[in-house]
Amino acid sequence: MTTTYAIIGGTGLTRLDGLVIRNAEVIETPYGPTSSAILSGKYAGRQVMFLARHGHPHRIPPHQVNYRANIWALRQAGADQIIAINAVGSIATGLETGHFCVPDQIIDYTWGRKHTFFEDELEQVTHIDFSHPYDANLRKRLIAAVAAHGFACKNHGVYGCTQGPRLETVAEIRRLERDGCDIVGMTGMPEAALARELGLGYASLALVVNPAAGKAAGLISMHQIERALSGGMEKVGKVLARVLSA
């Protein structure tokens, strides 16, 4: 059985260079509109879908992304494996700007987001096992692809997902560090849980674009983040091509 991959692009990845687009589909969902059209085509010799999480151009803040519509539409379009690209801040020692992390755990600090498909007109209450939020086999493929290119990577870690759109305070980062978080971002949840609810394989390729608050001298500069994104997305493309062509 052929695997159909979908890539969800985050901040800095509103399009996928090298994707030969065959179709751009706007799928109507019971949960409202998706962030952007689902692009389908060939990438690295394989059929793949691409969706820009924040829209194209980048305009939807993390707390207003329609995660339910995005995940539902990708499943409807035929995806069964999702690679999520996340731009994150680093908390763990040794994780520097430009490094990758392939997290294996997540802590959800968000609030008020539509975080489940199982809430209206249910025949019975539904729970999912979310002990291990990321697909183990897809994680292994991402880790192998990063290693093949020699890119620095933390092969496990805890993703702390905050509400946004503001960046965190120093005290909040200290709390996340005490909780065991290695990286911090704003889009990891409820995306991962929604994929699990629909039975989709899901893994994150997180690119460090800045030290988290208090982890470096001075304030966090958006210019520095943009520069890190510009350089890092070329590496993201190489990793994705390796995974898809394997």
Side-chain angles (χ1 to χ4, degrees):
M1 181 173 160
T2 302
T3 300
T4 302
Y5 287 94
I7 296 161
I8 299 179
T11 299
L13 189 65
T14 57
R15 59 190 177 86
L16 187 60
D17 290 335
L19 175 64
V20 180
I21 301 170
R22 303 284 174 82
N23 187 44
E25 186 177 9
V26 176
I27 295 179
E28 293 184 8
T29 85
Y31 309 99
T34 58
S35 295
S36 61
I38 296 175
L39 305 181
S40 300
K42 280 277 183 100
Y43 185 75
R46 181 188 285 270
Q47 278 298 125
V48 68
M49 301 174 201
F50 178 80
L51 186 147
R53 184 188 289 116
H54 298 282
H56 184 58
H58 184 286
R59 71 189 189 283
I60 305 171
H63 66 295
Q64 291 187 335
V65 171
N66 193 337
Y67 296 96
R68 291 197 300 181
N70 288 348
I71 298 299
W72 191 93
L74 288 173
R75 200 276 298 268
Q76 191 74 1
D80 46 39
Q81 297 277 307
I82 295 175
I83 300 173
I85 309 302
N86 300 99
V88 299
S90 63
I91 299 175
T93 302
L95 260 181
E96 299 179 5
T97 298
H99 289 189
F100 286 109
C101 179
V102 181
D104 61 332
Q105 284 293 326
I106 195 163
I107 301 177
D108 188 4
Y109 299 95
T110 67
W111 49 269
R113 301 184 182 189
K114 293 290 188 180
H115 65 280
T116 180
F117 294 109
F118 300 128
E119 63 178 7
D120 295 320
E121 301 179 3
L122 298 178
E123 294 182 4
Q124 63 181 26
V125 176
T126 302
H127 303 283
I128 58 166
D129 183 343
F130 204 51
S131 303
H132 303 284
Y134 299 107
D135 183 89
N137 289 329
L138 192 51
R139 285 189 66 255
K140 287 178 182 177
R141 298 191 68 184
L142 285 169
I143 291 166
V146 174
H149 285 289
F151 300 143
C153 181
K154 184 173 175 58
N155 294 341
H156 62 277
V158 179
Y159 181 132
C161 187
T162 58
Q163 178 72 354
R166 67 168 177 84
L167 299 179
E168 300 74 30
T169 68
V170 171
E172 287 169 333
I173 293 300
R174 287 174 183 158
R175 175 199 175 189
L176 267 63
E177 187 169 27
R178 289 194 299 270
D179 286 351
C181 296
D182 297 286
I183 54 176
V184 59
M186 302 175 188
T187 55
M189 286 291 284
E191 200 171 83
L194 292 168
R196 178 64 54 84
E197 286 187 350
L198 295 186
L200 304 175
Y202 180 96
S204 166
L205 178 65
L207 173 71
V208 175
V209 296
N210 63 279
K215 291 298 177 179
L219 300 177
I220 297 173
S221 162
M222 297 311 296
H223 174 70
Q224 290 175 329
I225 290 176
E226 289 166 4
R227 188 170 59 186
L229 283 167
S230 177
M233 286 306 150
E234 181 180 350
K235 295 195 295 185
V236 168
K238 290 180 178 180
V239 173
L240 291 176
R242 185 98 185 184
V243 171
L244 296 172
S245 63

